[in-house]
Each structure stands twice: as structure tokens, then as C-alpha cells.
Amino acid sequence: MVDILHRIGVVAPSPEKVYEALTTVEGLAGWWTVDTGGDAAVGGTLAFRFPPVGGFDMEVVELRPSERVVWRVVDGPEEWIGTTVNWNLRQDGDYTIVLFSHEGWREPVEFMHHCSTKWGSYLMSLKSLLETGAGAPAPRDVQISDWH
């Protein structure tokens, strides 16, 4: 199994705002995709859509306020199903550090390379949303290929 790993620092006095952007439909729609819906509570399912290519459904597995968010992919591209998306947060001075991982890929297929790049761009969108008030969620995100 292989994983996608990223780290960003968000200028924030505490992890609370970052956590809120990861755990509310409104927050997620502000940086990942405007077409976000569902139940953000543990046991709920969040639906993320990226017209015209499709989307993902994530079961919310764990929520630790201001510390950790874990989702399991329950529907979407075959390569994603059964993988987990983890967000670990910690404060370091003026920054909230976001340690991101998309774990459990069976093999490093070309689509994984694409997804790693897209996760990086969406993490920068998250940072921008929290630092400036404006993210770049889909469909306003950077288009890098025919997979969007």
C-alpha cells in the first residue's frame, strides 16, 4: 500500500478554524468543491461532486475537535474506495500545522500522481480560505488534466 502525504502551515491562532473548515459542509465547500453535501457527524456520509467527472462519498470515521479528522472513501473511483483521508492538526507558534494523508492506495497508479497534485492544490485553497477569506474550490480550482 502507498500513501499521499502533504503538510501545510496555516496562519491561525488556534486549530479551531481549520477544524471547522474540515468538519462543516460550508467549510468544505469553501475550499474543496462548491458541490458538497451530506452529514458531517461521525457515522455520517459527506458527498463531494466535481462535475463533469464525478465525485466521492466519504464516511466520517473520527472527529477530535481541533486535533484530527478521518474519512473513509465509500464510493467514487475504484482506486479510492476503501482508502482513508486523515487530517492531523497541531499548533506551532502562529501556525496551525495540517498533516494530511490519503492512505491505503493499492499501488502508485498514474491517477494517484494526479490526485497527489490536486490534493496539494486544494490544501493551498484551504490555506487561502483561512488566511484571506477566499479559497479556490472546484470548479474554480486549477485544472491540471482531463481528470480536472
Side-chain angles (χ1 to χ4, degrees):
M1 301 257 184
V2 290
D3 305 330
I4 295 171
L5 306 171
H6 290 289
R7 176 192 183 275
I8 62 168
V10 177
V11 176
S14 77
E16 290 174 35
K17 287 190 177 205
V18 179
Y19 182 81
E20 184 176 311
L22 298 173
T23 59
T24 64
V25 169
E26 298 78 17
L28 292 161
W31 65 267
W32 196 11
T33 178
V34 296
D35 192 355
T36 297
D39 180 358
V42 171
T45 300
L46 290 164
F48 303 98
R49 298 294 175 262
F50 300 82
V53 296
F56 320 100
D57 290 347
M58 309 273 195
E59 176 190 359
V60 180
V61 176
E62 181 180 353
L63 297 175
R64 266 192 271 153
S66 300
E67 291 180 14
R68 183 168 165 81
V69 175
V70 179
W71 303 325
R72 180 178 15 262
V73 182
V74 295
D75 194 23
E78 180 181 341
E79 297 92 344
W80 279 49
I81 295 175
T83 62
T84 58
V85 176
N86 302 283
W87 308 86
N88 289 294
L89 311 175
R90 67 177 167 79
Q91 197 64 30
D92 186 1
D94 293 337
Y95 289 87
T96 295
I97 303 301
V98 179
L99 293 176
F100 167 89
S101 62
H102 185 172
E103 300 177 354
W105 289 72
R106 289 184 284 282
E107 57 185 328
V109 295
E110 185 176 345
F111 186 48
M112 182 182 180
H113 293 261
H114 166 85
C115 293
S116 181
T117 301
K118 289 303 291 188
W119 274 124
S121 71
Y122 287 123
L123 285 165
M124 295 308 293
S125 174
L126 171 66
K127 178 180 174 65
S128 179
L129 174 68
L130 294 166
E131 292 180 352
T132 71
R140 299 187 312 272
D141 58 316
V142 175
Q143 303 300 304
I144 59 172
S145 74
D146 58 349
W147 287 320
H148 297 266

